[in-house]
Amino acid sequence: MGENEMSVFGVSEAEEEIYRHFLRNPGTATDDLHLLLHSGPEVARACIDRLQELGLLHPDGADLRIFPTDPEVALARLVDLRLHALHQELQRVTRSRHVIDGLRAEQGARTPPPQGIEQLEGLAQIRNRIDDLAFFARDEILSVEPYTKLSPENIARSRPLDLRCLRRGVRIRNVVARTALDDPPTAAYLRELAAHGAAIRVTSETAERLLVYDRRAALVPLDPRNTARGALLAHRSGLVSNIIALFEKIWDAAEELAPAGSTHDTAAGTGLSGIEQRVLVSMCTAGKDESGARELGVSVRTYRRHVADLMQTLGATSRAQAALRARERGWI
């Protein structure tokens, strides 16, 4: 067997070998699969059961022969399952304060934090550490901040650091709550950052808070609903990678910040959001989904999800019909 390429998704080497076997030989019987694995029949049966549970295999026909799920569909499902598991793990980590308090009570003294993870207490300590991390950032800052507005003090504190980072060539990708655009000073500040090169997206669907600096340090609150309770600063590469994966999922589902003067990124007269309007134009002009997604800076899965929503909105059964109806309505 070769390298277990699907291990990152929690698929064992034996399970991957069976899935690859069915990709090469769809609809074959399962009687002799244990010979492929050099194991007993019960091991092969357990692998097949788990692959069906993961949605990578499915029985079809009266004789219940096994067929593989299309690799693109299968991998998309595994990614979603893995990100969901990582999200739950991150939530468990950020809610671990009661465990720390209990251990301190047992010991009667302050317990040092786990290696690679710092616990920050109080808003002053958190803000000072954020200022340090931003000041020394060299490559990239990722953030998800679902605030509804920023106070004048927060804007005055953040603007010099953010603009300094952008002038130094540090990439900033920031996801904020859509409701933050209802506050004029906050919206103006976000658009100022965008004008200086920051990539800003908005979302209505996340309560997560996270910051990642140079893909080496990640900050998450102990309680996302009450940041005053403290935060965890992770330097451990595995945990930081998991937090980055969560950020990318939120980023792909978010929409680009609308230009000044628009209303919540809605295209006038269509009822479509700005990203939907751009996808509509792209699906009528771009040759492939991959090209359209790349032009808009979104994942192929997000692009196709918008295409499906547009077709439903237009009552179309094909993309050609959707394009025709969009032109009839004057949307493109």
Side-chain angles (χ1 to χ4, degrees):
M1 294 184 188
E3 183 181 355
N4 184 198
E5 297 178 351
M6 298 173 68
S7 61
V8 68
F9 302 114
V11 177
S12 71
E13 187 175 358
E15 291 162 352
E16 179 175 345
E17 184 66 18
I18 288 179
Y19 177 60
R20 289 179 180 272
H21 166 79
F22 280 107
L23 287 175
R24 296 189 298 267
N25 308 283
T28 55
T30 63
D31 299 341
D32 299 325
L33 273 182
H34 63 285
L35 300 178
L36 178 71
L37 302 178
H38 305 290
S39 64
E42 66 282 354
V43 174
R45 184 70 257 172
C47 290
I48 291 172
D49 289 344
R50 185 159 189 276
L51 288 169
Q52 289 182 348
E53 180 182 339
L54 292 173
L56 272 66
L57 298 178
H58 59 273
D60 194 14
D63 55 357
L64 296 182
R65 289 183 175 271
I66 302 296
F67 289 83
T69 302
D70 178 80
E72 183 173 352
V73 176
L75 267 294
R77 174 173 171 77
L78 288 178
V79 168
D80 285 342
L81 289 172
R82 182 61 176 151
L83 289 176
H84 178 69
L86 293 175
H87 186 189
Q88 290 183 318
E89 180 181 350
L90 177 60
Q91 287 184 321
R92 286 195 296 271
V93 170
T94 59
R95 293 170 182 168
S96 64
R97 178 58 185 265
H98 69 284
V99 177
I100 298 170
D101 291 341
L103 294 174
R104 285 180 182 169
E106 291 289 339
Q107 188 181 37
R110 184 180 182 87
T111 302
Q115 184 178 6
I117 300 178
E118 298 179 55
Q119 182 173 327
L120 309 179
E121 297 182 353
L123 289 176
Q125 186 181 16
I126 294 172
R127 286 170 179 166
N128 288 337
R129 184 56 64 87
I130 287 174
D131 288 350
D132 289 343
L133 290 166
F135 185 85
F136 290 106
R138 289 292 176 266
D139 301 313
E140 183 180 51
I141 300 174
L142 312 176
S143 64
V144 178
E145 301 175 281
Y147 50 72
T148 56
K149 71 175 184 177
L150 288 172
S151 68
E153 293 77 18
N154 279 337
I155 293 175
R157 181 187 183 91
S158 301
R159 177 185 277 115
L161 282 172
D162 289 338
L163 294 180
R164 178 180 180 273
C165 287
L166 291 168
R167 284 196 299 269
R168 288 191 292 112
V170 177
R171 291 183 61 209
I172 292 180
R173 286 197 287 158
N174 187 10
V175 181
V176 301
R178 189 183 302 278
T179 52
L181 301 181
D182 293 332
D183 179 62
T186 301
Y189 171 59
L190 292 172
R191 291 195 170 96
E192 180 184 7
L193 294 183
H196 284 82
I200 311 290
R201 291 190 178 183
V202 296
T203 181
S204 305
E205 302 175 353
T206 185
E208 301 299 332
R209 293 178 183 270
L210 60 90
L211 288 162
V212 182
Y213 297 89
D214 290 340
R215 296 183 173 259
R216 291 195 295 267
L219 186 75
V220 293
L222 287 172
D223 182 351
R225 293 166 297 184
N226 182 9
T227 54
R229 289 193 58 196
L232 295 177
L233 178 60
H235 302 280
R236 193 177 291 169
S237 59
L239 182 54
V240 173
S241 296
N242 291 346
I243 293 171
I244 292 172
L246 175 60
F247 170 84
E248 296 293 354
K249 181 178 182 181
I250 296 170
W251 176 263
D252 282 347
E255 299 178 2
E256 294 178 14
L257 177 67
S262 63
T263 303
H264 287 341
D265 202 14
T266 298
T270 66
L272 302 178
S273 68
I275 185 65
E276 287 174 330
Q277 184 72 29
R278 291 189 290 277
V279 169
L280 179 60
V281 173
S282 178
M283 67 181 275
C284 296
T285 57
K288 295 183 178 180
D289 290 350
E290 289 77 9
S291 301
R294 188 164 53 251
E295 289 175 4
L296 299 181
V298 300
S299 70
V300 176
R301 290 182 62 242
T302 298
Y303 181 88
R304 288 173 176 165
R305 174 170 57 82
H306 284 304
V307 169
D309 291 342
L310 285 166
M311 289 176 62
Q312 183 176 3
T313 298
L314 290 162
T317 57
S318 68
R319 298 190 182 198
Q321 187 181 35
L324 178 61
R325 292 189 175 183
R327 290 190 179 99
E328 289 173 349
R329 296 186 187 190
W331 288 7
I332 55 176

